[in-house]
Amino acid sequence: MNNAILDQKKQIVEEITDKLKNSASAVVCEYRGLTVAEVTELRRSLRAENVELVVYKNTMTRRAAEAMGYTELEDSLKGPNAIAFSSDAVAPARVMAKFAKKHDKLVLKAGVVEGKVVNDETLKELASLPNKEGMISMLLGCLQSPVIKFACAIKAVADARGESEN
């Protein structure tokens, strides 16, 4: 019986380790004091952004974090925690910070973003960034602006030459 339990725990640690490896970001939060309805609302908001919220035992998460070299997470793994995993580096922090503004019981503690352990302050800064599609559209807007201005300048020159010939 003990071997079965030990194997099950090892499997859970491996699962957490895989999720940490394959996620662009993982955010640890404390949900103590949230009602079931509020947690359901949070999960729904996260799911809409393709973010998975999972509750693991802190000891299992601690072992997975140690295996990945994320020992700085250890201090955050106290109390009732949940971890949000995503392939988007910004989505978990953004959705959870927005939710935490309405529900002060949700506390962002720490996370791993692009392989680096970050604190709650960094998570709040990340939360202010748009999602990947938003960043791409902002970049495209910046790139298009000079091209559009250049095209308008050429058209103005062409129009001016056309008027001077008449």
Side-chain angles (χ1 to χ4, degrees):
M1 186 73 177
N2 268 349
N3 262 351
I5 292 172
L6 190 61
D7 288 342
Q8 187 179 16
K9 288 181 178 183
K10 284 181 183 177
Q11 188 175 3
I12 292 170
V13 171
E14 286 175 19
E15 178 184 319
I16 299 168
T17 304
D18 286 344
K19 286 186 183 206
L20 285 171
K21 267 185 209 171
N22 299 321
S23 298
S25 68
V27 176
V28 178
C29 68
E30 184 174 325
Y31 60 90
R32 183 190 332 244
L34 290 177
T35 66
V36 172
E38 290 169 337
V39 172
T40 304
E41 180 187 341
L42 174 62
R43 284 182 186 272
R44 192 174 297 123
S45 301
L46 290 167
R47 205 174 305 122
E49 296 277 340
N50 294 318
V51 179
E52 179 185 16
L53 185 70
V54 188
V55 176
Y56 290 112
K57 287 189 171 193
N58 288 332
T59 54
M60 303 294 143
T61 305
R62 201 172 291 119
R63 288 187 181 166
E66 285 174 14
M68 293 292 298
Y70 302 145
T71 54
E72 299 98 326
L73 276 181
E74 215 170 292
D75 293 338
S76 303
L77 299 173
K78 293 178 176 81
N81 293 314
I83 306 173
F85 296 97
S86 177
S87 58
D88 184 334
V90 178
R94 187 173 66 318
V95 173
M96 294 173 97
K98 181 179 177 184
F99 188 86
K101 285 180 184 174
K102 294 181 203 168
H103 306 87
D104 62 342
K105 303 260 192 236
L106 181 71
V107 178
L108 301 181
K109 293 174 129 183
V112 178
V113 179
E114 300 290 339
K116 292 184 177 145
V117 177
V118 295
N119 61 14
D120 61 327
E121 292 301 317
T122 306
L123 289 174
K124 288 174 185 169
E125 289 173 22
L126 279 173
S128 66
L129 296 174
N131 63 7
K132 187 175 182 180
E133 289 77 23
M135 285 189 220
I136 290 171
S137 67
M138 288 169 62
L139 175 65
L140 288 176
C142 290
L143 293 175
Q144 283 180 333
S145 179
V147 173
I148 291 170
K149 288 178 182 174
F150 180 69
C152 289
I154 289 177
K155 184 176 182 335
V157 169
D159 289 346
R161 284 191 177 164
E163 286 177 12
S164 65
E165 290 176 3
N166 289 334

